[in-house]
Amino acid sequence: MAAEIEVTLDVMLARRKIRSKELAAEIGMTEANLSLLKSGKVKGVRFDTLARLCEALDCEPGDLLAVKRGD
Amino acid sequence: MSERTEISKDTRDSALWLSVVAWGLFGLMAVDIGNVIRERIGALSPGGDGWLYIGNQFGLGLVEAMPSIFLLFALLGFAHLFRRCSEGQIFTERNVKTLRGGGDSLLLAAAASALVTPTLVEWISGNPGGLHLQANDLTLGVGAMGLAIRGIAHIFREGVLIKQENDEFV
């Protein structure tokens, strides 16, 4: 199985104690898209979206994404 | 994911304007088709024509108006297409279908004008035998436009696929 990228946004949200709704409003994204991103049901993330997420959550891209290595 | 795309005011206004023009042309053409058929029926004698004869005249009027009827369908499709574009629904499967339908209608209008209508009119008038071709620059032009719009629909489909892929990025 090939390696996959896992979105760990929900972990960071819990650490920062921020609700999805608040984050979506802060970075100017719809709640629906944020929910898709959290569940990993998207093909990719734009760099500007990633930058806004990092800015709002005060973190690095690596804190939001992880590599899930296959066997 | 939404099918709507953020569009500029200019694009929205242009699409809306084109939709209004297409509806206007649709109305004019519908009146013209009505006149062609009315002239046929109006040629009847006031009193004693049977329903069968009236039906035949109505049918003949429809045959004569056939190219315009296909153009009417094309205009109807384009009016809807531009209205949807003005609402931000541009690269959608529905618009591809409408464009393809518009192209087909223009091709059918050209075929009807060049071949089907002249042949049927001759046959109905009691001159059967063979096909009657009446192609001119206008019918060829309409046919070429139909082909071009079908080609644009094919390219538009690629745009729909690109948009769908793009929508999967957040």
Side-chain angles (χ1 to χ4, degrees), chain B residues 67-132:
Chain B
S68 303
I69 291 171
F70 284 125
L71 288 178
L72 198 69
F73 279 114
L75 282 170
L76 186 66
F78 293 146
H80 284 302
L81 174 89
F82 288 127
R83 198 239 326 130
R84 286 198 294 269
C85 286
S86 74
E87 291 168 356
Q89 300 171 48
I90 300 175
F91 291 107
T92 63
E93 286 287 352
R94 200 172 172 197
N95 283 353
V96 172
K97 224 170 163 182
T98 305
L99 265 179
R100 214 179 280 151
D104 287 344
S105 295
L106 291 180
L107 282 170
L108 287 169
S113 175
L115 186 69
V116 181
T117 295
T119 301
L120 286 179
V121 167
E122 283 298 318
W123 289 359
I124 293 167
S125 312
N127 302 316
L131 299 172
H132 297 267

Side-chain angles (χ1 to χ4, degrees), chain A residues 29 33 36-37 41-46 49, chain B residues 1-2 161 163-170:
Chain A
M29 188 189 232
N33 273 348
L36 287 170
L37 178 61
K41 289 178 185 166
V42 289
K43 250 187 185 171
V45 191
R46 294 190 184 92
T49 308
Chain B
M1 304 273 170
S2 169
L161 293 177
K163 186 188 179 298
Q164 281 171 354
E165 191 173 294
N166 198 37
D167 282 349
E168 288 178 43
F169 284 72
V170 291

Side-chain angles (χ1 to χ4, degrees), chain A residues 13-66:
Chain A
L13 280 170
R15 270 191 206 157
R16 298 284 187 261
K17 295 188 175 95
I18 297 176
R19 288 183 182 183
S20 298
K21 194 176 176 178
E22 293 164 4
L23 180 65
E26 193 176 337
I27 65 169
M29 188 189 232
T30 62
E31 280 184 69
N33 273 348
L34 191 65
S35 169
L36 287 170
L37 178 61
K38 267 170 65 184
S39 58
K41 289 178 185 166
V42 289
K43 250 187 185 171
V45 191
R46 294 190 184 92
F47 283 145
D48 70 312
T49 308
L50 201 53
R52 278 183 282 149
L53 281 169
C54 288
E55 198 181 0
L57 295 168
D58 189 25
C59 64
E60 294 295 316
D63 298 325
L64 302 175
L65 304 169

Side-chain angles (χ1 to χ4, degrees), chain B residues 152-165:
Chain B
I152 291 169
H154 190 71
I155 296 164
F156 214 80
R157 172 93 181 90
E158 289 297 313
V160 173
L161 293 177
I162 292 169
K163 186 188 179 298
Q164 281 171 354
E165 191 173 294

